[in-house]
Amino acid sequence: MELKRRLGLFTAVCVIVGDMIGTGIFGTTGFALADMGSAALVLGLWVLGGIVAISGALSYAELSSIWPEVGGEYVYLKNIFGRLPAFMTGWVSLFVGFSAAVAASALVLTGYLAEFLRNILGAESGAVILFSDPVFQKILAIAIILFFTILHIVGVRRGTIVQNILTVVKAVIVLALLVGGLVASGLVNLDRLTAGYDGLADGMLGGLGWILHPVAPTPALPQIALTLLIVMFAYSGWNAATYIAGEIRDPAKNIPRALFWSAFGTMLVYVLLNVVYLLAVPAERLAGQQAVGAITAGALFGEGVASVFSLGIAIILLSAVSAQMFIGPRVTWAMAKDRMLFARLGTLHPRFETPHLAVGLQALIAISYILLGSAGDLMMYMGFALSVFPLLSVIGLIWLRITRPELARPWKVPLYPLFPLLYIVLTIVMMIASLMAWTTTSLTALAVLAVSVPVYFVWRWMVERNLPEKR
């Protein structure tokens, strides 16, 4: 039994936007401002991050037109470079890319709910005490994961309807802050968009100065590249539709449209939101702050609106958890179909026609991370590894153009090779900067990837020997 093509362009866009827009846009800017010391440079990095995402999206659009199948990078790397790199990307996707992300998002969500109740009811309220309890937060996070697990098992249609609704609500929340902020700001204080100041010590890089300030030193290229990497975390998810490519109708048209317009629209929203932040609050006050969105809402609309801002973030995270629980198991399912995992994970529910065992496995791993309290640490250590396989996929696109020009490509990257090369060069620069600044975490990520190599060969040996795993 195969997954059916029953998803349209709107659902593909909702999955991408649901996965992309999370807490990153509401917290990253403060750290970037602290590290760069220039509002103009930070705005430029948000634009550049969008260009990286768009370049990757256009490259993936061509790859998905060649192989419009479920699995994303797993499918591309398998067909271009073979089974080993495909297994490695599936390994990272299962244990980190989706499962750890689901666990981390669900836990952060419960924290925002507790903050919302604290703002509304006061710190002494019984409900606030309950929702602030770490044990209760873990129970609630597990309940949220189980809800979306059941939802995405009992039918693709039911799951995507809820996903689409959550994404629309997310879009309304973000656009309300954006449009309301532009109106409330009166578009005055435009000089703040180019303001420079001394870098602070509470950025993620330790504080840097920048141009436009007479005493500020210029940050080195590696420092700028690392801040771009931090910004790129907010753009992660631009490739989400490719994981469900085998379920999208008319993929040659709908997947490229979904990938491009989602990435472009998200970039536009991100840049304009940063404009709102800077118009509402001087950059030096935002620098080093994590709750940039809440600070901005308070400055523009009053503390009453700021107090409920955390509820909006919680809803935004609900959409992300749903999207990740929907698309992640598709990679596991595709791997199992190729005997790269237990064969039963490649089956569909006889009634609901969903990859129920793969969904359940991802939920089980995510819940184990919540119980162990390791999701956040795992995401921090493995962030470097998550950028390796999209990079290899885009390199593979160029390799295919050279070695297999006869392949049918219903959709091709415009202005080739500009966008693939942009993605490759900028991603490599960011990875080198990460290795230089976050050496331990980056090397740990590479070590985990290296562990997957012997696991792959042992697994292949077991399958070829017809041991019970193949039954």
Side-chain angles (χ1 to χ4, degrees):
M1 189 184 298
E2 298 290 333
L3 289 165
K4 297 179 180 178
R5 295 191 182 276
R6 45 187 150 195
L7 306 180
L9 176 61
F10 181 70
T11 296
V13 170
C14 284
V15 167
I16 298 173
V17 173
D19 194 25
M20 282 184 76
I21 301 180
T23 58
I25 182 57
F26 301 109
T28 302
T29 296
F31 298 116
L33 287 169
D35 290 324
M36 293 292 97
S38 167
L41 179 59
V42 170
L43 285 174
L45 288 176
W46 280 102
V47 173
L48 187 57
I51 292 173
V52 174
I54 290 171
S55 299
L58 292 174
S59 301
Y60 268 49
E62 178 170 324
L63 289 170
S64 69
S65 76
I66 300 173
W67 298 294
E69 305 167 19
V70 166
E73 292 97 3
Y74 168 75
V75 173
Y76 310 146
L77 294 178
K78 179 186 68 174
N79 286 291
I80 299 171
F81 298 120
R83 287 177 170 264
L84 175 57
F87 179 86
M88 294 172 71
T89 188
W91 167 279
V92 173
S93 293
L94 176 59
F95 289 101
V96 182
F98 294 109
S99 299
V102 165
S105 296
L107 276 174
V108 172
L109 189 161
T110 63
Y112 277 106
L113 285 177
E115 182 181 340
F116 166 70
L117 293 174
R118 188 179 302 110
N119 293 334
I120 298 300
L121 303 176
E124 302 303 318
S125 167
V128 173
I129 294 173
L130 177 64
F131 273 76
S132 300
D133 180 71
V135 175
F136 180 80
Q137 287 186 346
K138 288 187 176 184
I139 294 172
L140 182 58
I142 291 172
I144 292 169
I145 292 173
L146 290 176
F147 169 78
F148 285 113
T149 299
I150 295 170
L151 177 69
H152 290 303
I153 284 177
V154 298
V156 173
R157 179 174 173 79
R158 294 184 182 93
T160 53
I161 287 175
V162 173
Q163 178 63 56
N164 293 349
I165 292 172
L166 287 173
T167 303
V168 169
V169 172
K170 169 188 284 191
V172 170
I173 294 170
V174 173
L175 291 176
L177 176 61
L178 174 57
V179 176
L182 289 173
V183 172
S185 70
L187 295 179
V188 296
N189 301 318
L190 294 177
D191 58 305
R192 292 179 179 174
L193 302 180
T194 57
Y197 47 88
D198 289 327
L200 304 178
D202 39 2
M204 295 186 76
L205 308 184
L208 304 166
W210 178 237
I211 56 173
L212 304 179
H213 192 285
V215 298
T218 302
L221 178 61
Q223 296 164 324
I224 297 174
L226 198 59
T227 305
L228 176 61
L229 178 62
I230 295 167
V231 167
M232 284 306 301
F233 289 147
Y235 281 105
S236 61
W238 52 262
N239 55 348
T242 62
Y243 297 112
I244 55 171
E247 298 174 82
I248 296 175
R249 297 189 300 268
D250 198 0
K253 291 183 179 179
N254 285 332
I255 296 177
R257 290 173 181 172
L259 289 169
F260 172 76
W261 287 112
S262 298
F264 177 78
T266 300
M267 179 187 74
L268 190 62
V269 168
Y270 281 0
V271 172
L272 290 177
L273 274 176
N274 277 277
V275 169
V276 169
Y277 298 159
L278 293 166
L279 292 179
V281 184
E284 55 267 28
R285 280 182 53 198
L286 292 177
Q289 299 296 319
Q290 183 172 3
V292 171
I295 293 170
T296 301
L300 291 172
F301 312 115
E303 293 304 317
V305 172
S307 65
V308 300
F309 188 77
S310 52
L311 177 61
I313 300 294
I315 295 173
I316 285 172
L317 285 170
L318 269 180
S319 174
V321 172
S322 175
Q324 291 156 356
M325 283 302 302
F326 177 54
I327 61 179
R330 269 59 183 175
V331 180
T332 303
W333 180 82
M335 292 181 69
K337 293 282 287 184
D338 291 334
R339 314 297 291 199
M340 302 277 260
L341 286 174
F342 296 100
R344 285 187 60 80
L345 292 171
T347 60
L348 299 179
H349 192 281
R351 176 183 174 188
F352 302 123
E353 298 181 339
T354 56
H356 58 301
L357 296 178
V359 175
L361 176 62
Q362 180 170 301
L364 183 64
I365 296 172
I367 290 171
S368 69
Y369 289 149
I370 288 176
L371 295 175
L372 295 172
S374 57
D377 292 338
L378 194 61
M379 289 298 294
M380 180 184 70
Y381 274 89
M382 291 302 295
F384 181 87
L386 294 174
S387 61
V388 171
F389 299 107
L391 173 63
L392 285 178
S393 297
V394 177
I395 292 174
L397 169 67
I398 295 178
W399 178 250
L400 282 177
R401 285 285 192 112
I402 297 171
T403 61
R404 301 182 65 184
E406 78 286 353
L407 273 179
R409 295 172 172 85
W411 196 92
K412 293 184 178 181
V413 179
L415 302 179
Y416 176 87
L418 174 62
F419 290 111
L421 287 177
L422 268 176
Y423 184 85
I424 291 168
V425 171
L426 290 173
T427 300
I428 290 175
V429 168
M430 286 186 282
M431 293 176 71
I432 292 173
S434 178
L435 276 169
M436 292 172 62
W438 298 332
T439 305
T440 301
T441 56
S442 299
L443 292 178
T444 300
L446 291 176
V448 173
L449 288 183
V451 169
S452 68
V453 175
V455 172
Y456 166 77
F457 285 109
V458 169
W459 176 260
R460 294 307 304 167
W461 177 80
M462 292 171 69
V463 170
E464 290 167 5
R465 296 270 301 181
N466 293 315
L467 289 180
E469 286 75 15
K470 194 173 180 180
R471 290 177 187 171

